[in-house]
Amino acid sequence: ARNWGAIARRMATDRKVVAVDMRNHGDSFWADSHTYADMAGDLAEVIENEGQAVDVVGHSMGGKAVMVLALTRPELVNRLVVADIAPVAYHHSNLHLVQAMQSLPLDGLATRQEADAGLRAGVPDDGTRAFLLQSLDLKATPPRWRLNLDVLGREMDKIVGWPDIAGHCDRPALFLAGSESGYVRPEHREIIKTLFPAAR
């Protein structure tokens, strides 16, 4: 949810915004399973507690989760925004990032700069490191990751994959991608339009 902080605040000027930590992330519960069916079910529970259908926004893994939600529980979704991800399986893995975080010695860490330096060898890109370090809780004793790294590592194939889902969702859908994105490619447009005929 913290990753959405600035955007959530802007959107909240004229609507209620509920920012969700996905399972095994942030302050949400940890579980032994991390599938898109799981995550869509978690989101459905949040929405049902709100008592009405909502607009949903998701990026990357969260984007896949909101797509699965819209495909399996369309009555809960008014419209959706999917940022920089397509409803396809990818052939890369982020397991190396999980392993780099797991290898960072946490005992004795006092500052984010120390953590950044310790993570640099395994994660050389400054932006990626900064993104990962948002999930490091240095106020905990001892410091801890706000990520269930063991489960995320074990379920990585499912996270970069895409479940076999039949059907389509007619709700309005906006797919956003940067011009240099490797995640939403021209060849993905056909499957996006098949699953989300009202997509743009």
Side-chain angles (χ1 to χ4, degrees):
R2 286 184 63 191
N3 297 339
W4 286 99
I7 295 171
R9 284 190 295 275
R10 290 182 196 131
M11 290 194 300
T13 59
D14 62 355
R15 73 195 70 223
K16 179 179 179 180
V17 174
V18 178
V20 177
D21 282 335
M22 302 302 286
R23 63 172 48 210
N24 296 312
H25 289 71
D27 292 324
S28 282
F29 65 96
W30 286 17
D32 289 333
S33 177
H34 198 88
T35 68
Y36 286 109
D38 294 331
M39 289 181 271
D42 298 339
L43 292 172
E45 187 175 336
V46 171
I47 295 167
E48 286 168 339
N49 285 333
E50 290 297 311
Q52 61 183 350
V54 300
D55 300 337
V56 292
V57 180
H59 166 252
S60 192
M61 181 191 75
K64 284 188 172 183
V66 300
M67 285 189 279
V68 172
L69 171 70
L71 289 166
T72 57
R73 298 289 307 276
E75 74 279 7
L76 297 178
V77 176
N78 292 323
R79 55 188 175 170
L80 62 154
V81 176
V82 179
D84 207 34
I85 202 75
V88 300
Y90 294 95
H91 301 295
H92 70 279
S93 173
N94 290 321
L95 187 58
H96 67 288
L97 299 177
V98 170
Q99 292 168 339
M101 288 184 280
Q102 288 173 317
S103 68
L104 179 68
L106 299 178
D107 285 337
L109 272 184
T111 68
R112 197 150 307 275
Q113 290 77 16
E114 291 173 359
D116 184 73
L119 203 56
R120 186 171 287 118
V123 186
D125 181 71
D126 293 344
T128 302
R129 244 183 3 266
F131 176 76
L132 298 177
L133 287 170
Q134 289 185 72
S135 294
L136 180 61
D137 182 1
L138 288 172
K139 294 179 182 175
T141 305
R144 61 180 281 271
W145 289 104
R146 291 190 188 98
L147 301 165
N148 188 345
L149 295 173
D150 291 340
V151 169
L152 296 176
R154 191 176 68 238
E155 299 278 61
M156 186 58 64
D157 287 347
K158 294 174 185 171
I159 294 169
V160 298
W162 174 253
D164 184 17
I165 297 179
H168 65 276
C169 174
D170 292 324
R171 300 294 192 265
L174 176 63
F175 283 75
L176 300 173
S179 62
E180 297 179 18
S181 171
Y183 288 95
V184 183
R185 310 295 304 161
E187 60 267 26
H188 298 152
R189 290 180 182 173
E190 182 178 353
I191 186 64
I192 289 170
K193 291 296 282 187
T194 298
L195 294 174
F196 300 95
R200 62 186 181 91

